[in-house]
Amino acid sequence: MTGELVDTQYGPVQVKVTLKGTKLVDLTAVRLPDANQRDRDIASYAAPELRKEALAAQSAQIDSVSGATYTSEGYIRSLQSALDQAGV
């Protein structure tokens, strides 16, 4: 299930979730901000941390990654929309 594409100040963020029943088993960042090297650097350290947090929490109720607030907020919103679509 792919979440909504969320436009952030630094670019679009979109995640795809894989569920087994109602259990969140994987998350993939489909789109992350990548307009410049700084955006790519921030996304490359934030996305794995957000993925780990979401898998542990089994929800979108996770904390933002320090220094990646906009990317985190977009990731969380896209994740929540995917979970909502899946009825989880």
Side-chain angles (χ1 to χ4, degrees):
M1 186 72 50
T2 302
E4 71 176 286
L5 182 68
V6 178
D7 283 318
T8 72
Q9 181 173 335
Y10 296 103
V13 178
Q14 186 173 37
V15 298
K16 180 179 179 181
V17 300
T18 303
L19 300 166
K20 187 169 190 171
T22 59
K23 182 174 171 60
L24 184 57
V25 294
D26 198 16
L27 276 113
T28 305
V30 178
R31 293 280 308 267
L32 291 168
D34 65 355
N36 58 52
Q37 189 59 48
R38 179 166 166 70
D39 291 346
R40 289 188 291 276
D41 289 346
I42 290 170
S44 72
Y45 82 78
E49 196 61 37
L50 292 163
R51 178 184 180 276
K52 182 175 78 172
E53 294 265 337
L55 289 172
Q58 287 294 299
S59 78
Q61 303 301 311
I62 58 175
D63 293 327
S64 294
V65 173
S66 180
T69 304
Y70 293 106
T71 299
S72 297
E73 289 172 0
Y75 191 101
I76 291 165
R77 284 181 46 206
S78 185
L79 171 57
Q80 186 62 60
S81 86
L83 295 174
D84 289 347
Q85 289 176 51
V88 177

